[in-house]
């Protein structure tokens, strides 16, 4: 695993000292429960501190009924309002802020200043390395009798992530020359100003995907669920040395890659299929976004392909926080074969290389036939792997 190169930043995240333990044990469940209770107490204290809800006079018979259920529901549903939620989304989500980027750190400081302004906290920039005495003291103070007002700070973490450097996807001819190359950048129509400006600011790639090159024939595996792979095996398909193409949906994208890897595949492509869009499709006469409500054929779903069913979080520190000087190990919850997310437009082109995808059996039931493409496909996924930044 490459050395850690960058900082990881998290806003007000509570983290215990590093311990190695099994993820499923009682300590983790207790930790999660304790964090939930702490969050409830902090919100409750803030509500009364800001005067949003006045403390009613306590009587011996009503001391445990400060708010009726109806009032609690009313308070809960009032924050956020649809208007404030929309405003927050536009303020924080209309610009790129990839984990590890300067923009991400700036967003953390913006949120810190927001908390300081709204909750009357002294305006300083408390930035601590997570797990250090400064960070732990800030956390522990919240649970003591001295915690009479809200506090906020930024914790710095060091988990390993990856960022894309270059990607490509090609159909090869008989002499391995390129006969077609996919455009992996989304459309970015100027009618949507943000989409046009930032169309390649977050490249189309899979988080925590394997760096590498795969070259082989293509096999279609529907959603890439276990049942789909079982169907391919039953049909006699051999995925060894193949590149598997699957559509998004049904199961988490990491599981699609995991099972392909287990069956000997050397790469995975995941595309968005308009069959999963219901009635609102270009095929049914609707214009594509931004000219209409149908899916833009160049749109691509990004996301992680981490093996969450193995364990979540930083691959190199399973079960404990990714502190700067944490003991690290080789991650086992990330793929060992490269993958790329692609658009419906590119997916259609590749599926034509295979031809018929199903065989019709008894009672008209269609099953995957496991047929491989006539041409070879070349998938390139190169990225940098290092410590990165995100905010919590």
């Amino acid at each position: 695993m490459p050395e850690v190169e960058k900082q990881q930043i998290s806003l007000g995240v509570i983290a215990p000292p590093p311990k190695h333990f099994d993820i499923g044990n009682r300590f983790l469940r207790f930790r999660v429960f304790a964090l939930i209770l702490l969050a409830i107490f902090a919100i409750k204290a803030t509500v009364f501190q800001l005067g949003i809800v006045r403390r009613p006079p306590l009587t011996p018979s009503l001391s445990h009924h400060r708010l009726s259920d109806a009032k609690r529901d009313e308070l809960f549903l009032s924050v956020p309002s649809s208007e404030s939620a929309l405003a927050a989304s536009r303020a924080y989500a209309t610009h790129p802020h990839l984990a590890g980027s300067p923009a991400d750190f700036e967003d953390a400081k913006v949120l810190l200043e927001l908390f300081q302004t709204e909750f009357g906290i002294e305006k300083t920039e408390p930035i601590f390395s997570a797990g250090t005495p400064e960070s732990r003291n800030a956390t522990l103070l919240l649970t003591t009798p001295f915690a009479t007002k809200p506090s906020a700070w930024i914790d710095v973490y060091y988990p390993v992530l990856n960022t894309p450097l270059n990607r490509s996807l090609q159909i090869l001819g008989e002499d391995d020359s390129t006969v077609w190359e996919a455009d992996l950048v989304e459309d970015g129509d100027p009618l949507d100003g943000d989409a046009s400006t930032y169309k390649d600011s977050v490249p189309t790639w899979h988080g925590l995907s394997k760096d590498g090159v795969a070259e082989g024939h293509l096999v279609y595996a529907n959603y890439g669920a276990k049942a789909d792979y079982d169907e391919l095996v039953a049909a006699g398909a051999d995925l060894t040395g193949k590149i598997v193409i699957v559509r998004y949906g049904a199961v988490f994208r990491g599981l699609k890659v995991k099972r392909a890897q287990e069956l000997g595949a050397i790469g995975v492509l995941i595309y968005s299929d308009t069959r999963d869009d219901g009635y609102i499709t270009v095929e049914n006469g609707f214009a594509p976004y931004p000219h209409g409500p149908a899916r833009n054929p160049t749109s691509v779903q990004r996301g992680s392909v981490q093996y969450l069913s193995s364990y979540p979080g930083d691959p190199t520190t399973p079960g404990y926080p990714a502190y700067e000087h944490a003991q690290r190990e080789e991650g086992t919850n990330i793929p060992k074969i490269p993958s790329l997310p692609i658009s419906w437009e590119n997916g259609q082109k590749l599926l034509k290389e295979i031809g018929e995808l199903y065989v019709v059996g008894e009672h008209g039931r269609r099953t995957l036939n496991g047929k491989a493409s006539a041409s070879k496909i070349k998938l390139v996924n190169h990225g940098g792997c290092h410590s990165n930044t995100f905010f919590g």
Side-chain angles (χ1 to χ4, degrees):
M1 180 64 67
E3 293 184 359
V4 171
E5 298 174 0
K6 287 189 179 179
Q7 290 185 337
Q8 156 91 18
I9 301 170
S10 181
L11 185 58
V13 172
I14 300 170
K19 284 186 179 180
H20 202 316
F21 54 86
D22 180 41
I23 290 180
N25 69 14
R26 294 182 180 178
F27 179 80
L28 182 57
R29 292 195 294 269
F30 173 79
R31 175 183 166 201
V32 172
F33 179 72
L35 288 174
I36 292 172
L37 284 180
L38 182 58
I40 292 173
F41 292 149
I43 292 172
K44 182 177 178 182
T46 301
V47 165
F48 287 115
Q49 182 77 20
L50 296 177
I52 297 174
V53 177
R54 298 185 180 278
R55 297 181 183 271
L58 298 181
T59 64
S61 60
L62 297 177
S63 60
H64 61 290
H65 289 302
R66 297 181 178 179
L67 286 175
S68 67
D69 287 346
K71 286 292 184 182
R72 290 174 184 175
D73 288 346
E74 181 182 353
L75 175 61
F76 181 79
L77 293 174
S78 69
V79 181
S81 66
S82 57
E83 292 80 10
S84 67
L86 179 60
S89 178
R90 286 176 173 166
Y92 303 120
T94 53
H95 64 280
H97 47 274
L98 271 176
S101 67
D104 206 24
F105 184 35
E106 290 304 313
D107 279 356
K109 292 193 287 187
V110 168
L111 290 173
L112 175 64
E113 184 178 6
L114 174 67
F115 291 163
Q116 291 170 335
T117 299
E118 295 297 323
F119 298 140
I121 302 170
E122 182 182 359
K123 290 197 174 184
T124 60
E125 279 197 3
I127 301 174
F128 308 130
S129 181
T132 59
E134 295 85 356
S135 171
R136 291 193 52 71
N137 287 340
T139 299
L140 295 173
L141 182 63
L142 295 174
T143 63
T144 69
F146 303 102
T148 59
K149 59 182 180 180
S151 61
W153 68 97
I154 293 174
D155 270 344
V156 182
Y157 283 78
Y158 299 80
V160 170
L161 295 174
N162 68 331
T163 51
L165 297 179
N166 63 76
R167 302 99 51 232
S168 65
L169 180 61
Q170 302 164 341
I171 296 176
L172 303 179
E174 292 183 3
D175 58 351
D176 288 340
S177 61
T178 301
V179 298
W180 174 82
E181 182 160 1
D183 183 354
L184 299 178
V185 180
E186 290 178 307
D187 175 44
D189 193 298
L191 283 179
D192 183 331
D194 291 329
S196 178
T197 301
Y198 303 122
K199 65 180 182 179
D200 201 30
S201 296
V202 180
T204 53
W205 106 107
H206 283 141
L208 293 174
S209 57
K210 173 68 174 177
D211 179 288
V213 178
E215 186 176 316
H217 294 281
L218 200 63
V219 174
Y220 175 70
N222 194 29
Y223 286 116
K226 183 179 182 302
D228 295 320
Y229 285 116
D230 289 347
E231 203 169 90
L232 285 174
V233 172
D238 182 4
L239 297 185
T240 303
K242 304 294 196 304
I243 295 175
V244 175
I245 182 169
V246 297
R247 54 175 165 154
Y248 272 111
V251 296
F252 176 62
R253 65 182 77 83
L255 293 175
K256 301 173 190 285
V257 178
K258 184 173 186 291
R259 188 56 180 152
Q261 174 184 305
E262 292 169 348
L263 292 173
I266 58 173
V268 177
L269 298 169
I270 311 180
Y271 74 96
S272 299
D273 197 312
T274 57
R275 285 180 290 174
D276 297 308
D277 291 344
Y279 182 72
I280 310 299
T281 64
V282 172
E283 291 78 6
N284 287 327
F286 293 91
Y289 182 84
H291 302 277
R295 175 191 298 275
N296 187 298
T298 71
S299 65
V300 180
Q301 181 188 141
R302 300 150 176 83
S304 168
V305 286
Q306 184 178 54
Y307 297 166
L308 293 175
S309 55
S310 298
Y311 62 89
D314 174 34
T316 67
T317 57
Y320 54 96
Y323 293 157
E324 182 176 8
H325 302 295
Q327 181 179 348
R328 296 179 185 270
E329 59 188 64
E330 189 71 23
T332 59
N333 66 338
I334 49 179
K336 297 185 183 300
I337 60 174
S339 66
L340 280 177
I342 61 174
S343 66
W344 168 235
E345 185 172 77
N346 288 330
Q348 282 182 297
K349 175 67 176 179
L350 294 171
L351 292 176
K352 289 179 181 177
E353 291 296 308
I354 300 175
E356 185 58 51
L357 306 176
Y358 297 92
V359 60
V360 179
E362 195 175 354
H363 306 300
R365 181 176 179 269
R366 297 195 313 164
T367 56
L368 296 169
N369 61 21
K371 180 183 174 184
S373 63
S375 302
K376 282 187 177 181
I377 307 300
K378 184 176 181 180
L379 180 167
V380 177
N381 181 52
H382 289 317
C385 192
H386 49 73
S387 179
N388 229 315
T389 310
F390 88 119
F391 308 96

